[in-house]
Amino acid sequence: MNAEKLTIADVERLLSDPSEDARAAVAAKVARQFSQVELAPRERELAREILGYLVHDVAISVREALARCLDDKAGAPRDVVLKLARDIDQVALPVLERSPVLTDEDLVGLVYYGSPAKQCAIAGRPDVAAPVSEAIAHRGDRTAVLRLVHNAGAVINEAAATILVTRYADDADVSVPLVQRGEMPALLVERLIAMVSEQLREYLVEQHEMDHRVAATLEEQTRERTTADAISRMSHDDMRALVAQLSENGRLTATLILRIACTGEMRFVEAAFANLTDVPDERIWRLIHDVGALGFRAVYARAGMPEALYPAFRRVLDTYHAVRSSDGTLDLDLFRFHVLEGLRETFEEIEAPDLDGMIDKLARLASPVPGQRRQNVA
């Protein structure tokens, strides 16, 4: 006989044994049965009745036993699970973290009216739908927000991200993980990156008494590196939207384009030069990749890029064409190794341990050329 099977003896035990331990044991036994599909209709009905009775038990340990055993049961009675979810934190957290019975509507209400601990439990669920993320973004405690932005199973849409950016404008612990999320709306990425880098500049100036110009340089380098990292997870459309926003904000710089070119993301390079030259996508691709050195030379000049960095761009493009395989795939480690070696050869006076360090130093060779007129592409 299955020891876990609910029997009339269990019902009698509930009636005859008033101890808390006895009720908790029966609660766990009944709750576990909901994973057994072979329960007869009458057995299931009896189990529901017992759960409905025990969920109101005055003893916390009894309700805890129910919550622990029902937390992952898809067939658990919804009214019982909801009652447990609305209970004190000690009882509620297991079902809030895992129960598949709770709907998005249930979870949104629990976020709005629940404790910080409950909000944090919901933020850590294996799957968090967009409406629930929006609720946490709007009303969640900071601990819940931090858990949400680090949860790969949470869908953070544009509405939720916008709320978080507004609420935590000065909190890098929230904004940095947001930037690193793959589904982050492109038009918010640049705003978040700007926030993070500005916080770094203020910190360096205030806490370390660093010269404003040096701090501004480090801020720009941080912004570029973070942008380059975010771009690798973007769709083509999102990337184009980001390019347009960077251009509008005056942040589509030569060093940013070069830094991203060194990651092998030629989609960004093509979109950037198309934006800066007003040359259609199809033609910009041919001018950069097919026409040879003169084609890119003309595009580079029309975009108003600093002459000092042209040899670096040329070296990166030549390496890209040399390393990329016939089927279009790119061994990124090999590519970056040869790019660094090529830049060291081209700029012998510059010593740098890695590509980012090399680009940071190359940036000193180039000064912005604001308002430079675009030239015609041959």
Side-chain angles (χ1 to χ4, degrees), residues 282-314:
E282 317 80 55
R283 191 167 179 228
I284 204 75
W285 191 94
R286 288 192 301 104
L287 287 168
I288 291 175
H289 298 292
D290 269 2
V291 178
L294 292 180
F296 178 67
R297 194 69 165 98
V299 167
Y300 191 84
R302 178 166 177 170
M305 294 286 101
E307 184 61 28
L309 290 185
Y310 175 77
F313 274 94
R314 186 69 265 165

Side-chain angles (χ1 to χ4, degrees), residues 122-299:
I122 294 169
R125 288 171 67 88
D127 298 295
V128 182
V132 183
S133 292
E134 288 181 37
I136 295 170
H138 186 61
R139 289 291 293 272
D141 177 78
R142 182 176 180 273
T143 304
V145 167
L146 288 173
R147 193 170 189 191
L148 179 74
V149 298
H150 284 96
N151 183 354
V155 177
I156 301 180
N157 60 9
E158 187 166 358
T162 302
I163 295 168
L164 289 172
V165 169
T166 303
R167 283 188 68 193
Y168 296 94
D170 300 320
D171 194 334
D173 289 339
V174 174
S175 54
V176 170
L178 269 179
V179 171
Q180 296 171 340
R181 293 185 66 89
E183 81 276 19
M184 177 57 53
L187 296 182
L188 281 175
V189 168
E190 198 265 338
R191 181 180 172 189
L192 284 167
I193 290 170
M195 285 166 37
V196 173
S197 53
E198 285 166 9
Q199 290 161 19
L200 170 65
R201 181 188 59 196
E202 292 169 5
Y203 174 79
L204 291 173
V205 171
E206 294 173 8
Q207 301 298 321
H208 295 278
E209 300 180 350
M210 185 175 287
D211 181 88
H212 281 271
R213 288 171 298 179
V214 176
T217 298
L218 290 175
E219 173 200 346
E220 184 63 26
Q221 292 169 0
T222 299
R223 177 180 294 160
E224 289 183 357
R225 293 183 188 197
T226 310
T227 301
D229 181 62
I231 278 171
S232 65
R233 297 180 297 276
M234 286 186 180
S235 68
H236 183 68
D237 289 342
D238 282 347
M239 190 177 293
R240 287 180 60 82
L242 179 60
V243 164
Q245 183 163 298
L246 287 166
S247 179
E248 184 179 343
N249 293 338
R251 292 176 179 151
L252 192 59
T253 62
T255 50
L256 173 62
I257 301 171
L258 178 62
R259 196 181 298 274
I260 294 173
C262 289
T263 70
E265 276 292 353
M266 290 301 159
R267 297 178 303 159
F268 182 90
V269 176
E270 294 152 12
F273 278 106
N275 178 283
L276 292 171
T277 61
D278 295 326
V279 174
D281 290 353
E282 317 80 55
R283 191 167 179 228
I284 204 75
W285 191 94
R286 288 192 301 104
L287 287 168
I288 291 175
H289 298 292
D290 269 2
V291 178
L294 292 180
F296 178 67
R297 194 69 165 98
V299 167

